[in-house]
Amino acid sequence: MEPVIRMQQIPADLTVRLLSEKVSLSAAWQEKIDAHWERLLAEGKTYTRGECFTVSDVVFEGERVEVLLKQTDYAHYLYTLHHKGELPADVAIRVMYAAALVETADGRLVFGEMGQQTGHPGRLQAIGGGLDFHDVEGDRLDLRGSLLRELEEELGLDGTDAAVVKSVAPLYFKGGGDYDFLVVLYKVTLHLSAEAFLVRHRAFEREVRARGEQPELSELILLPKDPQAVEAFLREDSRWRVDYLAPFLRVEAGLGTVD
C-alpha cells in the first residue's frame, strides 16, 4: 500500500523552531551511518557532510502549529533515504523543508528532474531544498528565506524582483508520504511567459557551467495547468517523483482538494 499523503491548508500560525539539543544516536547506529557515508564517498560521490534538521515534535493548538527541530547531519539523512523501512522511528530522520511550484504568466507549471550529482538523482520535484544554518534566525527557521535561496540556486530567479516574480505564497502543509517529511508547499507566480522564462533560464545554466558547476536540475518541465495535461503527464511519465508532486499538481489543476 502506498503511504498516505496528508495535505492541508497552510496553518494561520506556523512556527518552526530549532532546539539547542542535538540528535544523539547509539554508537551502533552511528557506526552504520559513518560506514555508509564512507562507502558513498568511495563510490565517487562528492557530498558535503553539512547540517540537517530532523523533526523532534509537532504541536497542534487550534490554528497554531509549532514544529520543533533538532540538528543532525547529511550522512544521517542519506542513511535514512537509502534504508527505507529498516530504521526504527527514533533513528530515522524526518526533515522539514519548503518547496514551490512555479507558474508562468501563460499558465505553465514549472518543476524539474534533479541532476546526477545531487542527493536525489533523476527525481522529479518542485523547487526546494533542505534547511541549514543560513535559515536560522535566533531559534527560528525561515522557510520563506530558504525557498527564495533555492529559487536562486535552481532557477536563477530573484524572488524579491517584483518585475519578474508576481507573488510567493505558502499554500499547503504536507505530511505523510514516503518518509513522513513535513513540507510547506508554496506557489511562485511569474510575470514572465514560459518562453521568456526559458530564455532567462538557459542564460542562467550557461553561467552555472561557466563557473565549472552543473545545474541542480538536469531537465525542466513546463506542464500546462489544465486537468487533461496533468493527468496525462502523471499517467504516462514513469520517472521517480517526490511524494507530494502528484497531489500538488492535481490540486493546482483543479483535480483535487485539500483539508
Side-chain angles (χ1 to χ4, degrees):
M1 179 183 294
E2 289 292 319
V4 175
I5 298 286
R6 301 186 304 274
M7 283 178 60
Q8 64 185 75
Q9 299 291 339
I10 194 74
D13 182 3
L14 173 64
T15 301
V16 185
R17 190 157 60 87
L18 180 62
L19 301 175
S20 58
E21 179 186 359
K22 297 181 181 180
V23 169
S24 179
L25 299 172
S26 70
W29 280 113
Q30 194 62 61
E31 284 182 15
K32 291 180 179 180
I33 291 170
D34 292 342
H36 180 253
W37 179 259
E38 293 302 323
R39 282 195 296 273
L40 291 173
L41 298 185
E43 292 169 1
K45 301 298 185 183
T46 57
Y47 301 140
T48 299
R49 193 167 180 170
E51 69 274 5
C52 283
F53 306 125
T54 186
V55 176
S56 175
D57 197 10
V58 184
V59 180
F60 293 89
E61 295 179 351
E63 288 295 305
R64 178 176 176 273
V65 178
E66 184 177 46
V67 182
L68 303 177
L69 305 179
K70 289 183 180 180
Q71 182 186 342
T72 182
D73 68 15
Y74 195 57
H76 187 187
Y77 173 73
L78 288 180
Y79 190 87
T80 298
L81 291 188
H82 298 165
H83 297 79
K84 182 179 177 182
E86 298 178 23
L87 280 67
D90 62 343
V91 174
I93 193 172
R94 184 187 180 202
V95 298
M96 182 177 190
Y97 60 97
L101 275 178
V102 175
E103 183 175 347
T104 64
D106 49 352
R108 297 293 181 114
L109 297 174
V110 181
F111 52 101
E113 179 180 316
M114 297 300 289
Q116 291 301 306
Q117 79 282 13
T118 68
H120 304 281
R123 188 174 77 173
L124 299 182
Q125 62 180 60
I127 305 307
L131 298 167
D132 60 32
F133 281 125
H134 292 96
D135 309 310
V136 180
E137 300 177 355
D139 68 346
R140 302 299 176 93
L141 275 295
D142 178 12
L143 268 72
R144 179 186 175 89
S146 174
L147 179 68
L148 293 180
R149 188 178 70 249
E150 296 296 334
L151 276 174
E152 182 74 34
E153 292 177 1
E154 296 184 10
L155 295 182
L157 289 176
D158 179 356
T160 65
D161 184 352
V164 174
V165 177
K166 182 178 180 181
S167 63
V168 179
L171 298 182
Y172 310 116
F173 187 57
K174 172 265 173 190
D178 293 337
Y179 299 92
D180 199 20
F181 292 168
L182 300 182
V183 188
V184 175
L185 297 171
Y186 283 72
K187 180 72 167 296
V188 175
T189 306
L190 304 181
H191 290 296
L192 303 174
S193 67
E195 182 178 0
F197 166 72
L198 283 173
V199 169
R200 287 176 62 102
H201 186 70
R202 291 184 188 115
F204 166 70
E205 287 188 320
R206 289 194 294 271
E207 291 173 4
V208 171
R209 292 192 174 97
R211 298 196 299 264
E213 303 171 6
Q214 288 296 316
E216 289 193 37
L217 298 176
S218 61
E219 180 186 344
L220 272 186
I221 296 165
L222 282 76
L223 183 64
K225 184 184 172 182
D226 69 69
Q228 293 77 18
V230 168
E231 284 292 22
F233 174 81
L234 294 175
R235 181 176 61 252
E236 297 168 8
D237 194 301
S238 60
R239 283 176 287 184
W240 175 37
R241 53 183 178 247
V242 69
D243 56 9
Y244 64 74
L245 185 59
F248 198 3
L249 289 171
R250 287 193 172 103
V251 168
E252 285 303 301
L255 292 165
T257 59
V258 297
D259 296 335

